[in-house]
Structure formats: C-alpha cells, structure tokens
Amino acid sequence: MKLSRLLLASSIVCYVLYDIASTLAAYSYLGTFAYERSVLIRSAFDLAGVPGFILVKLLVSLLAIASAYLLMERYEQFRGLGAGLLAGATMAGLFVGTSNLSIIYQGCSIWLWGLDSGTIATAIICGCSALGLLATGRLKKPRPEKWIS
C-alpha cells in the first residue's frame, strides 16, 4: 500500500471517526457540550444538535485531510508537508479521542503542561507538518520506470 493512502486512511479513522465517536460518548456521559473548546463545533451543536456537530466535523476534517492528501500526491515539493499533516492528524486524532474518553473514565480530559487537548492536538499537527516539510527531499514520489526495448 502506498504511504499516501495509508496516511489518508489512518487520518480518516483516527482524526474523523474516533474523534466523533469519542466526543459523542463524552456528550452522552455528560449530557452537555459545554466542555467543547472549539467555537465552530460548539456553535454547530447549539444550532443543529448532534447532526450539526457531525456534519461540521465531517466537512471541515475531510476538507483538511483531502487538501493534505492532494499536497502529497500532486505537488512533489510539498509531499513531505502533506505526509506530515496526515501523520499529525492521525496522532492528534488518537490523542483527542483518548482525551474525550478520559472524560468518561477519569472525569476530566487530558491536560499536559497546562494545555488542553485541542491545543496539544494543534501542536502535534504543526510539529509533524514541520518535520514532514524538513523530510520533503526524502519522500520523493516513486516514478514509473521507462522500459527500453
């Protein structure tokens, strides 16, 4: 399997599906969306309830993930950045989803060094993107071999 497709699939599963499922589980447990830090997500929930939350989360996340995938596939000079964004989305999704489940099992989300899970997820994505940008020369897209007859 190509690296780009593996990163695309993992980011969709972790950043989109796991985050949505864990957020809904935390909402079901708490009965409120008051803990949600994202103004966009909270506003979507206030305006349209759970379907609004799911729609906005899906649209925004899939747009960002598709953009990162296209960077990786279409633009050789940004291949590392796209890979970093997708890897960062995967790791951030795992962290945020686990933090949401921590609300159920421990009564609070995960905070590190005084930072909430959304801020940490942003730092993870930015850090992975920077590392991917630095590794751009090493992540060259394989070129098809030309057969000489």
Side-chain angles (χ1 to χ4, degrees):
M1 179 179 262
K2 287 175 47 174
L3 176 64
S4 59
R5 290 188 183 152
L6 179 65
L7 288 172
L8 176 67
S10 67
S11 62
I12 289 172
V13 168
C14 295
Y15 190 72
V16 180
L17 301 178
Y18 182 46
D19 185 28
I20 288 174
S22 63
T23 301
L24 291 176
Y27 167 73
S28 176
Y29 176 76
L30 293 174
T32 181
F33 242 88
Y35 73 94
E36 180 62 51
R37 304 278 299 186
S38 169
V39 174
L40 178 65
I41 298 295
R42 194 172 44 227
S43 298
F45 180 79
D46 290 342
L47 291 173
V50 172
F53 155 72
I54 292 172
L55 181 66
V56 168
K57 176 65 178 169
L58 279 174
L59 290 176
V60 171
S61 298
L62 291 177
L63 179 65
I65 288 170
S67 299
Y69 179 75
L70 289 176
L71 276 177
M72 192 171 181
E73 283 294 305
R74 303 270 188 240
Y75 301 101
E76 184 79 26
Q77 66 271 27
F78 295 117
R79 185 161 172 76
L81 177 62
L85 285 166
L86 291 173
T90 299
M91 293 188 339
L94 286 171
F95 180 79
V96 170
T98 304
S99 179
N100 288 339
L101 291 179
S102 176
I103 292 171
I104 297 169
Y105 296 113
Q106 295 183 351
C108 66
S109 64
I110 299 172
W111 287 67
L112 296 173
W113 303 297
L115 302 173
D116 69 328
S117 60
T119 305
I120 294 168
T122 302
I124 290 171
I125 292 171
C126 290
C128 287
S129 299
L131 288 174
L133 195 56
L134 293 174
T136 295
R138 297 172 194 246
L139 291 173
K140 298 226 182 221
K141 187 174 182 180
R143 301 228 185 256
E145 297 285 332
K146 290 186 179 178
W147 294 93
I148 300 173
S149 46

